[in-house]
Amino acid sequence: MNDDAQDLRNYLATRDAACPSCGYNLRGLSVQACPECNQEIGLRVALTEPRIGLFLVGVVGWALGAGFSLLLLVFVLFSSLKYSRSIGPSDYGFLVTLTVGATLQGGAVLLLILHNRRVRRWSLAARVWLALLGYVASLANVLTFAALGF
């Protein structure tokens, strides 16, 4: 038996610990797999509080504007289909504004999600600015929509 397996057995000998996969109590586990779901179990060092809170606040800020634009785009497209109304040149400014907002802010959300580990390692100030910028961009998106008189 290797040291990792022995360390795991020693740790679980006197502690209640739920299997991360199925929730089965692993107290007294003698093998390196959960007896309930047969997933391999390992003893690891983990962060007690990952830097995810401010990251999620930022993602929500950027997603608000993207969601606003996408929701209105879907509404316009379904309304035009439902009422057999064609989209004409007078609607182009409206559609372009919504498309640009959805693309820019949706792209920002996608980049944040794809690079979340890197972003979470940024300084506190940089992560606060990124979150604030997301809310400012969402507000600018709504104000642009309102200012253009749609």
Side-chain angles (χ1 to χ4, degrees):
M1 182 177 300
N2 64 28
D3 288 342
D4 290 341
Q6 187 59 44
D7 290 342
L8 179 64
R9 286 182 62 196
N10 291 341
Y11 181 80
L12 293 172
T14 59
R15 292 178 180 85
D16 287 327
C19 171
S21 178
C22 68
Y24 182 83
N25 187 350
L26 299 172
R27 179 187 277 270
L29 186 71
S30 60
V31 293
Q32 278 191 275
C34 173
E36 186 74 19
C37 66
N38 205 32
Q39 293 287 319
E40 187 174 340
I41 304 295
L43 189 58
R44 303 191 192 294
V45 174
L47 294 173
T48 57
E49 189 90 25
R51 292 174 141 177
I52 199 157
L54 192 53
F55 172 77
L56 290 176
V57 168
V59 170
V60 168
W62 287 98
L64 284 171
F68 169 78
S69 295
L70 283 173
L71 190 62
L72 283 175
L73 270 173
V74 169
F75 173 76
V76 167
L77 294 176
F78 278 118
S79 294
S80 66
L81 289 174
K82 182 178 180 181
Y83 299 111
S84 300
R85 180 183 170 271
S86 63
I87 296 174
S90 63
D91 299 320
Y92 292 161
F94 177 75
L95 294 174
V96 167
T97 301
L98 293 177
T99 303
V100 167
T103 303
L104 291 178
Q105 291 198 262
V109 170
L110 183 62
L111 285 172
L112 283 171
I113 291 170
L114 289 174
H115 299 286
N116 76 74
R117 288 179 189 251
R118 184 177 302 144
V119 171
R120 289 187 350 232
R121 282 187 239 129
W122 289 0
S123 70
L124 177 63
R127 289 181 289 131
V128 167
W129 278 109
L130 181 68
L132 287 174
L133 187 59
Y135 287 95
V136 168
S138 292
L139 181 61
N141 189 354
V142 172
L143 292 177
T144 301
F145 170 77
L148 292 175
F150 298 117

